[in-house]
Structures are given as C-alpha cells and as structure tokens.
Amino acid sequence: MKLLVTGGAGYIGSVVVQQLLAEGHTVEVLDNLSTGHADSILGGAIWHEADLLQVGRILDSSFDGVVHLAARSLVGESVSHPERYWHGNIVATLALLDAMREAGVPRLVFSSTAAVYGEPAGASIAETDQTMPTNPYGASKLAIDHMLTAEAHAHGLAAISLRYFNVAGASGELRERHDPETHLIPNLLKVAAGEKESASIFGTDYPTEDGTAVRDYIHVRDLAEAHLRALKAAVPGTHEIYNLGTGTGTSVRQVIDAVREVTGREVPAVEEPRRAGDPAVLVASGQRALDDLGWQPTRDIRQMVSDAWTALGSDTASPDAASSGTATPTAPTSAGGLA
Ligand SMILES: NC(=O)c1ccc[n+]([C@@H]2O[C@H](COP(=O)([O-])OP(=O)(O)OC[C@H]3O[C@@H](n4cnc5c(N)ncnc54)[C@H](O)[C@@H]3O)[C@@H](O)[C@H]2O)c1
Ligand SMILES: O=c1ccn([C@@H]2O[C@H](COP(=O)(O)OP(=O)(O)O[C@H]3O[C@H](CO)[C@@H](O)[C@H](O)[C@H]3O)[C@@H](O)[C@H]2O)c(=O)[nH]1
C-alpha cells in the first residue's frame, strides 16, 4: 500500500513507519516537528514538513490510506489549555477528513486513546463501555471517534480507531524524546541515568492496592504491529474501534520497582498530590483486538523498561529491533516550504 503517516516523526509514529517499511509498503510522513524529531524519520520514507491543516496539498488519489497519529497528547496540558486540543486535534483532523474525501483516499487508522473512557467502573475496559472523558485531551479524541463513525456511514470511509493504553518501550534507537517529558517511564529512567535528582509519584491516595494510579502499559513494538493489521482489516463504510493494551494493570510503585530492578539504580521518588485529570485505573480488555485482528501483545513491563533503558544508554543500541534501524531522514519535499 501507499500510505501517509501523520506524526511519523513522533515516538509511536516512527515505530509504525519502521514496521510499515519493513513490510514493503510505500510510506510518506507528514509532520510539523512540533513534538517530533527529524532524525526519527526513517530513510525510505518521504517526509513532508507540514502541518495537518496543509494535508490537502499532499494527499491525492494514489494513496491507499492514512495512519493518523499527529496530535497533541498531554493530559495535564489539555486541562490548562483546552483550546489547543480543540484546534490541534479536532479541527486538524477535520482538515484531514476533508482532504481524504476530496482525494478519494479510502482508509484511515486513527490513534485514539484509553482517555476516552474517563473513570471506568469495571476492572477491564471493553470498547462498548461508557465513554466519559475526565480531561479535554480524551474529549478531543472521543469527538474524532464520533467524526469517523459519521464519515464512514455518510461517505464510505474504511475507518479503524485504535485506543492505545499507556505506550512504553523502544524499538532499537527509536524511543520517547519529549521536551518537557511528562510520561512516567522515561522520567524514571532519567533519574536512573542521573539526569534528574528524583522522580514524582502523583497521588498516593487512589483506591488501588498501593494507593498509586494503575495503568496498562503496552510495548510500542506490539502496538505498532496492530496498525499493520488494522490497515488490512478496515472495511469501507464501517468504523471499528479496538482497545490496545496487555490486560495487565501496573501501579506507579510497581513501575518504579521494575525500573530499579532493570537498571540496578536507586531511583529516589517523592510523593506528590494527584495530577489533574488522571483517572485511578485504566486497564484494557484485549478480547476484541484478538478476535477481529488476531492481535496479541507479547512483551511485558520489564521488557518495556529494559528496551527503553538500552535505547537511552546507547545511540547504537538495537536490542531486538526490526532490521531497518534509524537512518538518515530524507530531505523534506516541496511541502517543506509550506510550513
Ligand atoms: N504515548 C502514549 O502513551 C499514547 C497513548 C494513547 C494515545 N496516544 C496517541 O498516539 C499518537 C502519537 O503519540 P506519541 O506519544 O508518539 O506523541 P509524539 O508527540 O511523540 O508524536 C506526535 C507527532 O505528531 C506531530 N504533530 C503534532 N501535531 C501536528 C500537526 N498539527 N501537524 C503535523 N504534525 C503534528 C508531532 O510533531 C509529533 O512528531 C497521538 O495521537 C497520541 O494522542 C499516545
Ligand atoms: O512523573 C510522573 C509521571 C506520571 N505519573 C503517573 O503515572 C501514570 C502514567 O502517567 P503518564 O506516563 O504521564 O501517562 P498518562 O497520563 O496515563 O497518559 C498516557 O496514556 C494515556 C492512555 O492511558 C494516553 O491517552 C496519553 O496520550 C498518554 O500520555 C499516571 O497515573 C501519572 O499520574 C507519576 O506518578 N509521575
């Protein structure tokens, strides 16, 4: 397939591009580098340095589909600056849907999120569970899910939303490099590496076994593989939704223990109040993704921490990564001038 990957210079997008290229697809990347890195775009992919609002100048009928990862995605920021999420996620995705419809691009795989569920009642979340986001980030992604359902029914789009739980780990050198970094595991690894004095535990009074928030961490390589399956499974005129997690909950304290174990470092952690917008527990039911896509993750939290630690420690590390590795990015195409 010929595919456009939006957000392909980002953490997850770069690993999706890596796997699509390894499977022989033709890949073009649209990214404005707002949070991504040019050196994460793999050789073999054509890069358009452009904003999503300019996607109409790139898409044409030669594309078989779009994998849409470009977004703003920080829960805390979405609480303090919600307008950035309505513009950056909802309005920008509407521009993408308009451009796809106009060009006749038939399929879309979208990065949705566990944050659409809010504070779930049950122990493991199914796609049919109630959606009631507790923050504007989740609300913006839920709005897009609704947009895709309507677009599929009205105009025949083949759409799949993948609701990621907490993505972690690395694929060779491709790792999380956000600035500022808000995610738990990369922050813990910074402490282990001596780049930060101590880590923060946000909330110790949650109704969980050890009082800290529980999340379902999923390895970025397992996650990326689900995109390849979704692209093949998408059916015109339908919008399907899949939760992507391991089905295992891990508390903040348990993640800290895993980091201490893998790195052999002390990793001091300071207890702090809850972070605004954070639910207590988010754990996926993976049944639907298994039944329909045949997708099942294989890597556990220790592997995620270990791969991220190796990637942080060595520029040349490639533990069990796909063979393509990180390569020199291709020069921006003419669309680069659009930004
Ligand atoms: N990391 C997680 O745990 C997680 C969990 C659930 C869902 N997601 C979703 O997965 C996707 C990727 O997340 P990530 O962690 O790789 O984030 P990231 O910030 O590393 O990657 C996002 C990429 O999109 C680009 N981008 C953002 N807005 C853009 C725009 N308007 N035009 C062009 N490019 C733009 C950024 O430059 C960046 O390269 C996001 O949609 C996010 O909401 C992530
Ligand atoms: O320094 C830190 C950072 C985080 N946490 C806690 O660790 C958990 C995980 O936090 P983080 O790694 O920041 O991820 P989330 O805020 O859960 O959000 C991620 O996972 C969501 C799906 O569950 C996605 O929607 C988001 O895009 C993605 O950023 C939360 O309970 C945080 O409060 C800490 O205690 N200390």
Side-chain angles (χ1 to χ4, degrees):
M1 286 190 233
K2 178 176 173 182
L3 301 163
L4 180 71
V5 179
T6 75
Y11 166 48
I12 300 167
S14 61
V15 181
V16 170
V17 170
Q18 183 182 51
Q19 294 193 7
L20 289 171
L21 288 172
E23 220 185 53
H25 298 287
T26 299
V27 179
E28 300 199 8
V29 168
L30 176 148
D31 202 297
N32 65 5
L33 297 189
S34 52
T35 55
H37 302 269
D39 65 1
S40 291
I41 300 171
L42 297 181
I46 293 172
W47 171 35
H48 305 272
E49 185 178 355
D51 192 89
L52 262 176
L53 295 173
Q54 300 161 319
V55 66
R57 297 165 76 167
I58 293 161
L59 276 183
D60 61 34
S61 60
S62 68
F63 283 89
D64 298 298
V66 175
V67 184
H68 176 35
L69 299 107
R72 289 182 172 273
S73 60
L74 300 177
V75 169
E77 181 193 53
S78 81
V79 174
S80 54
H81 295 286
E83 67 285 357
R84 294 181 187 169
Y85 287 72
W86 314 139
H87 284 290
N89 293 354
I90 299 174
V91 175
T93 301
L94 186 58
L96 173 65
L97 290 181
D98 287 345
M100 289 181 71
R101 198 184 317 114
E102 202 163 306
V105 180
R107 60 175 73 72
L108 176 72
V109 173
F110 168 61
S111 302
S112 189
T113 170
V116 300
Y117 294 108
E119 286 279 2
S124 100
I125 304 172
E127 293 79 353
T128 48
D129 283 5
Q130 185 178 332
T131 45
M132 207 184 278
T134 55
N135 53 66
Y137 164 62
S140 72
K141 292 283 185 166
L142 183 59
I144 296 169
D145 283 345
H146 288 306
M147 284 159 66
L148 297 187
T149 303
E151 185 73 17
H153 291 163
H155 302 300
L157 181 70
I160 291 193
S161 289
L162 300 175
R163 289 184 176 159
Y164 312 162
F165 282 58
N166 285 59
V167 188
S171 183
E173 295 166 48
L174 298 174
R175 64 181 176 88
E176 258 187 283
R177 287 186 287 158
H178 298 131
D179 185 17
E181 184 59 71
T182 61
H183 288 152
L184 178 63
I185 293 176
N187 269 315
L188 293 172
L189 292 176
K190 279 186 182 191
V191 178
E195 288 174 34
K196 267 183 75 176
E197 210 166 288
S198 64
S200 303
I201 301 176
F202 294 137
T204 53
D205 59 348
Y206 282 106
T208 60
E209 216 162 282
D210 65 19
T212 64
V214 169
R215 294 288 181 274
D216 184 340
Y217 294 88
I218 171 82
H219 197 295
V220 66
R221 293 189 61 199
D222 284 328
L223 183 93
E225 203 234 322
H227 296 68
L228 277 65
R229 291 173 183 255
L231 280 165
K232 291 172 193 153
V235 174
T238 67
H239 174 219
E240 300 293 344
I241 296 176
Y242 297 101
N243 287 345
L244 299 182
T246 61
T248 303
T250 308
S251 72
V252 172
R253 287 196 204 282
Q254 287 171 325
V255 174
I256 294 173
D257 287 345
V259 169
R260 287 177 177 150
E261 202 182 303
V262 166
T263 63
R265 308 280 168 90
E266 213 173 300
V267 193
V270 178
E271 296 185 2
E272 294 181 27
R274 293 182 184 194
R275 197 172 60 177
D278 276 350
V281 181
L282 287 174
V283 179
S285 161
Q287 198 56 51
R288 193 153 192 266
L290 176 62
D291 290 347
D292 289 8
L293 303 176
W295 177 83
Q296 200 167 25
T298 58
R299 299 169 179 88
D300 64 8
I301 187 76
R302 218 178 169 283
Q303 183 79 48
M304 295 174 219
V305 172
S306 164
D307 288 352
W309 179 237
T310 306
L312 182 66
S314 163
D315 283 348
T316 52
S318 62
D320 64 341
S323 56
S324 47
T326 307
T328 319
T330 50
T333 63
S334 55
L338 300 173

